[in-house]
Every structure is written in C-alpha cells, then in structure tokens.
Amino acid sequence: MEFWTDFWDIIWWFVWAFVFIAYLFALFSIITDLFRDRDLSGWWKAVWLVCLLVVPFLTALVYLIARGRGMAERSARAAVSARKASDAYIRDVAGSSSPGQQIAQAKALLDEGAISPDEFASLKAHALRQAGGVPVTADGNGAHRAPA
C-alpha cells in the first residue's frame, strides 16, 4: 500500500510543477505584454507590476481576462514585424538583384576602372550562371548557337 501513496505523491508533485511552470509562462507573457503596449501609460504599467508582486495569481487572472484580446493582437503584430525584419535581412544578405543588375553594376565598376576586364568577364559569367542563362565563353561573351 505504501507504493501507491508514494506514486500518487509523485503524480501530485508533477501536477503542481506543471501548474507552477504554466504560471511562470503566463507571468512572463504578461510582463512582456506590459512593456510592449504603447497605449498604456507608465503609471498603469507600474500599478500592474506592483499588483503582480502583491497578489500574483489574482492579478494574472484579471490581466488575462481584461486585456487578453489586446495581448494577442500585440503578440501577433510583434510576430509579423519580426517576420518582416527577418525576411528583409535575408533578402539583403542573399542579394535579390537580377543578373542584369549585377552585370550593369559590374560594367559600372569596369568603366570606373575599379575592376579589370577579366574580373568583369568573371562577374558576368557568374551572374549568367546564377540565372541559368547561356554558357559563357572564355572572352566573356555568351555562346549563341543554333539548335541542332
């Protein structure tokens, strides 16, 4: 009979651990939302934080009921904003310019004397390879052949 008592004590401990961790997630979400909300004044933010310290469970429950919808909207806006910033960063790093733009930039560098004709040919070949264009010959010109 001692085994079942210990077993249920362990289960009860897991239940309380789950409740406590869920409460911590809710608490950190509330605090994050408080600082994310631009419409709420600093004094109201301070009042919410003090209440979270004094009566934490009740305040968290009231906050989720009273401001839950706005909390979800702010969280969704933050996720969309983060996604847009991530996409912009990836586009910036990957370089979204077309092969024509890359060749035009290389030609401008060639005209300025910043690169040699061999470097221009290599940049042109690289841009055309990326686009799946025509094969490039050793002199940098595209090989135009009639179909067989």
Side-chain angles (χ1 to χ4, degrees), residues 6-20:
D6 291 337
F7 174 75
W8 289 113
D9 285 343
I10 292 170
I11 296 297
W12 192 242
W13 183 86
F14 275 115
V15 168
W16 278 111
F18 174 78
V19 168
F20 179 70

Side-chain angles (χ1 to χ4, degrees), residues 25-47:
F25 270 98
L27 185 67
F28 289 130
S29 294
I30 289 170
I31 292 171
T32 301
D33 183 64
L34 275 173
F35 288 107
R36 184 182 291 154
D37 190 4
R38 296 176 190 264
D39 297 332
L40 198 62
S41 72
W43 288 106
W44 279 111
K45 290 177 184 181
V47 167

Side-chain angles (χ1 to χ4, degrees), residues 16-138:
W16 278 111
F18 174 78
V19 168
F20 179 70
I21 291 170
Y23 169 73
L24 286 179
F25 270 98
L27 185 67
F28 289 130
S29 294
I30 289 170
I31 292 171
T32 301
D33 183 64
L34 275 173
F35 288 107
R36 184 182 291 154
D37 190 4
R38 296 176 190 264
D39 297 332
L40 198 62
S41 72
W43 288 106
W44 279 111
K45 290 177 184 181
V47 167
W48 278 111
L49 286 174
V50 167
C51 288
L52 278 171
L53 290 174
V54 175
V55 190
F57 184 74
L58 181 64
T59 304
L61 189 62
V62 168
Y63 188 89
L64 292 173
I65 292 170
R67 297 179 48 90
R69 175 169 290 166
M71 188 176 177
E73 291 168 357
R74 283 184 293 278
S75 179
R77 272 194 307 251
V80 167
S81 175
R83 174 66 184 225
K84 285 181 182 177
S86 174
D87 289 346
Y89 174 75
I90 290 170
R91 268 190 251 96
D92 183 48
V93 170
S96 61
S97 60
S98 69
Q101 290 172 331
Q102 291 176 2
I103 293 170
Q105 289 172 348
K107 178 68 172 154
L109 290 173
L110 177 65
D111 293 342
E112 292 173 3
I115 60 173
S116 70
D118 291 335
E119 290 170 324
F120 171 72
S122 137
L123 289 172
K124 183 177 175 183
H126 179 71
L128 290 173
R129 264 194 313 266
Q130 281 183 330
V134 296
V136 178
T137 60

Side-chain angles (χ1 to χ4, degrees), residues 144-148:
H144 300 284
R145 290 177 236 156

